[in-house]
Amino acid sequence: MRAASIADVPGAQPRLAPWLFLSPFLLVFLVFTAYPLVQAMVLSLQQTFGPQHTRFVGLRNFQFLFSDPLFWTALRNTVVYSLGSLLIQLPLSLGLAMLLETPGLRGGRLYRVILFSPSLVGVSFAAMIFAVIFEKRTGLLNVALHRTIGWNLDFAWLERHVMPALIVASLWMWVGFNMTYFSAALKNVRRDLLEAAEIDGAGPWRRFLHVTIPEISPVAGFVVLLSMIGSFQLFELPYLLLNSTAGPGNRGMTIVLYLYQTGFENSDLGYASAIGWVLGLLLIVMTVFQRVLVRRSEAA
Amino acid sequence: MRPATLRNSGGVTPRVRVSRTRVATAHVLLLAASGLMLVPFIWLLCASLRPADAFFQDLFLPTRDGHVAFDLLTLASFERLFDMAGFGRSLLNSIFLSSTTAILGTLVAAMGGYALARFRFRGSKACTVLVLAAVTIPGPLLMAPGYQFLYRLGLLDSFWGVILPAIAPAFGVFLFRQAILSAVPQELLEAARLDGSGEVNTFFVVALPLVRPMVATFLMIMFLGTWNNFVGPQVVLQTPEKFPLSVAIAQLKSTYYQDYGLQMAGTLVSIVPVLILFMFLQREFVDGLAAGAVKE
Amino acid sequence: MEAASLHPSFGVKVQRVTPAWVRHRLERLGLVATVTSPVVLAFALLSLASFTAMMVWPIPSREGKTMWLGAPPHFRMYEPMVAEWNKTHESRFRLVLLSQPALERRMLSAFTSGTPAADILEVERRPAARAFMGPLEGVGFVDLTDRLRVEGLLDELNGPSFTPWTSRGRTFGLPHDVHSVMLGYRADIVEAAGIDVSQIETWEDYFRIMKPLLQGPGSTQERYLLNLWETHGDHIELLLLQAGGGFFDPQDRPIIASEVNAHVLAKIISWCVGPDRVCGDAPNFMASGNRLKVEGYVLASFMPDWMCGIYRGEMPQLGGKLKLMPLPAWERGGRRTSVWGGSMIGISKSGVRTPEDFEKSWAFAKELYLSPSLARTLYEVGDIVTPVKSHWGDPIFDRPDAYFSGQPKGRMYLDLAPQVPARSSSPYNTMAWLRVADAATALASWARDNQKFDYVDILPEAKRVLAQAHGQVQAQIDRNVFLSDAAKSGGVP
């Protein structure tokens, strides 16, 4: 017989144990994330150029934010990017996952590895390669399109169509990742339901709509949430792609890019923190909204 | 009806019709997608083998008078890269930082996820909400206060200054919580406790093995994240000899003077270890990723 | 309760268990299985192996002072000089190369929150200006004004070179360069067509005389007269400065919406839009742009002295085909050059704990920047001409440069040195530059959308977009609670 466990009553759940397991996370989190976060909140109410030169300005940073055209440009660009990304990337990931489920398909594993590999390489590589792809006149995309369908060689992706270019770049980076999630979900779609639907005379599209989609909706919800949160925090990709700027006419400006510019290029940490807080609130609202929707649809 | 026979993973071969045309179409589409995914890698490989002086004249392979000239392919860029002072050291630094952060981060996340998944205690709801909210924090917001704070703690110019802030991954806690919820039944844990197993023993011996795929996945995710990260380390670490590979590569790029061949070779070298690691561990990794997403 | 839906890959079947079963099976397989899963093993091995390797391969601890810099070519140039200094002096210095963003972040953090800074920093124009954001006594660099005056350095160095490092009358850095700008043109093409560039005095002259060589949109082989585009923020700034415009006046007040700026911007955009456009986009510092330049897509490009080195290194094919000429002026008798870029060396206040510290750093900085050997190395390796007037007599600058068809380009750049326009040190300079760049792209879009390609039509809109940029910058300045009212309306706080 083993030594007595921590609990006084055998089989009962110990009281301290959960906190013991949580403590490393909580400790590191509180020290390295929560504390700087609180400081950032305080910063958002100040203007600062150093500890000797800090002044409390109340909500002035936030007031300025709401009338700042650059902030609204950044917000608009970020929303466009997120929606576009969501509406294009997720169906594609789902489509690829379904293709991989085709009965009788061999070599699925190899396809999976290849399609997943872009997620491994990091943002710097993606930015570098897509800068080359999207260049005017000599970029891979324009040259390829020009030679096949006579596309305009001077089409300026990175000057006038930055958000679509970013959507394509992030598509390359993440479609394999999302596809893996969907693959797992598809594997768990109950065959009996599909077969029953088929027996009832439903065609492939209706089977998809009424059996597959509801079955994978928990995973889909998870992927959508992750994507949205990730999209709203887009920063390194446009920043690197546009050579450490926000692009001509600020067409590549996202919220976090504006935050970075304000904080580190204009050294206005107070205002940058204010932007960060607005973003955080936005994301929380979105998350809550999404979970409410999921709960509603599950109840239905 | 026993569910095991109805789900694919129950080991029962489903009755399906294999349609040749459907398979063929699937192959065509998947091949096209795979090809597009691979174009950047192929470009990088060609770019690192092109001679530096005629670097931008060709799209992929070096050409001479319109024909591909294989004899112009050269390893000179790689030679220059390995000759670079401190290259080997930065590689070592990267391996250390990434593997250590991966192991510690996974341990912390697994423990946290375990606590939130299989214990009922006051504050568990609050903590779960905290973890979810933490995922939404944008990184640059914390950069400046975080850096000052590290300084006050005396962690600047130390590897721990890079490792410690990274080992509380909220996303990881969330993933492990999902995985444990779906793979580790409560009764099993209770049975183990009844049998006299201590809490630590229960965690390591009973629960953790059941989420092995997620462990593999998250190790890989953390490794990748740390390997590719060059922003934090470059600011926190003050001694150049401590810089990881990602920083060394980032420094190859300066605004006004480019050695393109060197940059390409450097980038290739920085992604090859990751690709190799992935190829060996991909099965567990993909399985684990799947395990993390299924249950809501 | 039913089984979990996904089985762990080593195949333990999870079912309703009995304690004894738990004890037996999982005891044996559990921990062992987890630890020896290939993934965990791989990572543990890597971690331990690398840790051991690091223990066995210690980092030599370095004493002495540090200098941070962000430009790899400078690093290579300074290394031998620093080694020489360390041999012959008791104070030892160490160079640390960082990427520009890292350098900026560390500098700012050091100046605003006291995190460690190097003793000496070499920074470029834009990051340096951020040090001047707050009040004068808060600037993180040591005020060198008096020392410079006493040692006669203010006269010994090219006057305009001090301007970006001088805020509110105080100078905080030693300038690295002059960075006068000339126009580098394809002599092979131009002379083959029989064109004589000595006739060119103004931009009007330039475009008129070069016109026969223009092959505009729609030609099989497009060729434009100048590498300039609405997205070339740096080029636009240098042209504004050349014409006497710019973003801030000497009192750091914004002058973005000035008549001169509107005139220049409208001219620039009129050259870049429409079927008769004379300018093309061959982006600098990019492989694609290089290719276009080699192909002759653009006939001429702005060449500050440092750009010559880049061309030489990245486009050897153009050797012997290029020549340099002073910039065409904006009006007869006007300025024939401008300025682009600049670096300074500054001593951080945090590194100066005793007066000896300052003397050591100051001696090192002067040696690095003012020595004749550096002046020569700078020119030989980087094509950069020194701001130190006493070195201007060195015959190295008269050497014919084969890449530029035998022209004594060093002398040509130096002759233009006194004309180099002053650069603002306002911390809002980057912001102004960004807003003006926005204005330029907005103006170009407007021109194309409304089919307005002539200067006269574009001018009113140019005034409007510049006024908008001006307003945005002014709003940011007004937000700054540290600038006293005196500073906002002009004058020193």
Side-chain angles (χ1 to χ4, degrees), chain A residues 47 50-51 136 138 250 265, chain C residues 112 130 281 288 438 479 482:
Chain A
Q47 263 193 19
K136 285 194 306 197
T138 52
N250 297 310
E265 293 182 7
Chain C
T112 59
R130 294 194 200 116
D281 183 13
S288 58
D438 292 344
R479 267 187 68 225
F482 292 100

Side-chain angles (χ1 to χ4, degrees), chain A residues 80-121:
Chain A
V80 163
Y81 168 79
S82 303
L83 282 178
S85 214
L86 205 71
L87 294 173
I88 298 179
Q89 221 188 91
L90 295 190
L92 265 174
S93 312
L94 183 57
L96 282 172
M98 293 191 71
L99 279 177
L100 283 170
E101 291 299 308
T102 313
L105 186 84
R106 301 242 214 86
R109 173 138 290 133
L110 185 61
Y111 281 128
R112 257 186 243 282
V113 170
I114 292 178
L115 291 170
F116 192 84
S117 51
S119 321
L120 301 170
V121 295

Side-chain angles (χ1 to χ4, degrees), chain C residues 18 32 55 95 101 104 107 152 169 197 211 224 255 259 280 315 341 349 378 380 410 422 429:
Chain C
T18 65
V32 174
M55 289 290 107
L95 294 175
E104 288 176 37
M107 185 191 92
V197 301
K211 194 82 184 282
Y224 296 97
I255 49 167
E259 295 285 324
M315 288 172 276
K349 279 182 181 157
L378 219 54
E380 270 170 343
N429 205 58

Side-chain angles (χ1 to χ4, degrees), chain A residues 47-49 64 262 265-268, chain C residues 125-134 167-168 237 247-248 251-254 256 424-436 469-470 472-483 487-488:
Chain A
Q47 263 193 19
T48 175
F49 300 115
F64 187 76
T262 315
E265 293 182 7
N266 299 336
S267 23
D268 194 347
Chain C
R125 209 189 131 199
R126 284 198 198 112
R130 294 194 200 116
F132 305 134
M133 195 75 161
S167 177
R168 290 157 277 192
E237 186 186 14
F247 305 146
F248 296 94
Q251 283 79 40
D252 284 353
R253 280 172 302 189
I256 296 172
S424 167
S425 64
S426 163
Y428 291 96
N429 205 58
T430 309
M431 195 187 293
W433 180 84
L434 285 171
R435 296 292 86 80
V436 169
H470 186 121
Q472 286 181 300
V473 175
Q474 189 68 56
Q476 287 284 1
I477 294 179
D478 291 338
R479 267 187 68 225
N480 189 334
V481 297
F482 292 100
L483 293 176
K488 282 186 206 168

Side-chain angles (χ1 to χ4, degrees), chain C residues 23 75 95 138 216 277 281 364 373 420 429:
Chain C
R23 226 188 322 138
F75 183 82
L95 294 175
R277 64 181 165 101
D281 183 13
F364 177 79
S373 60
V420 163
N429 205 58

Side-chain angles (χ1 to χ4, degrees), chain A residues 1-2 46-55 57 60-61 64 68-70 131-132 135-139 143 147 154 159-160 184 188 239 243-251 253 258 260-271, chain C residues 5-6 23 27 101 104-105 108 111-114 130 133-135 137-138 222 229-231 277 281 283-284 286-289 291-292 295 297 427-428 430-431 433-435 437-438 441-442 444-445 448-449 472 475-476 478-482:
Chain A
M1 201 52 183
R2 288 168 156 271
Q46 300 171 330
Q47 263 193 19
T48 175
F49 300 115
Q52 286 89 26
H53 312 288
T54 304
R55 213 179 288 186
V57 293
R60 227 192 283 187
N61 286 332
F64 187 76
D68 184 355
L70 274 178
V132 168
E135 274 167 4
K136 285 194 306 197
R137 296 198 69 92
T138 52
V143 168
R147 286 191 192 159
D154 276 312
E159 287 173 31
R160 322 203 84 205
N188 284 295
Y239 192 65
N243 240 329
S244 305
T245 68
N250 297 310
R251 289 192 189 105
M253 175 88 87
Y258 189 44
Y260 181 85
Q261 258 189 3
T262 315
F264 294 93
E265 293 182 7
N266 299 336
S267 23
D268 194 347
L269 285 174
Y271 189 48
Chain C
S5 51
L6 283 163
R23 226 188 322 138
E27 212 173 298
E104 288 176 37
R105 225 167 307 137
L108 273 179
F111 290 170
T112 59
S113 25
R130 294 194 200 116
M133 195 75 161
E137 54 291 355
E222 286 175 61
W229 203 242
E230 73 254 21
T231 51
R277 64 181 165 101
D281 183 13
N284 287 316
M286 295 180 70
S288 58
R291 182 170 164 179
L292 292 172
E295 285 172 3
Y297 180 73
Y428 291 96
T430 309
M431 195 187 293
W433 180 84
L434 285 171
R435 296 292 86 80
D438 292 344
T441 41
S445 299
R448 291 193 189 106
D449 293 340
Q472 286 181 300
Q476 287 284 1
D478 291 338
R479 267 187 68 225
N480 189 334
V481 297
F482 292 100

Side-chain angles (χ1 to χ4, degrees), chain B residues 89 100 147 234 237-238 256, chain C residues 47 57 99 106 109 287 310:
Chain B
R89 172 142 230 148
T100 311
Y147 181 60
Q234 198 173 42
L237 296 170
Q238 311 278 323
Y256 297 127
Chain C
S47 184
W57 191 5
S99 73
R106 286 206 210 172
S109 184
I310 293 180

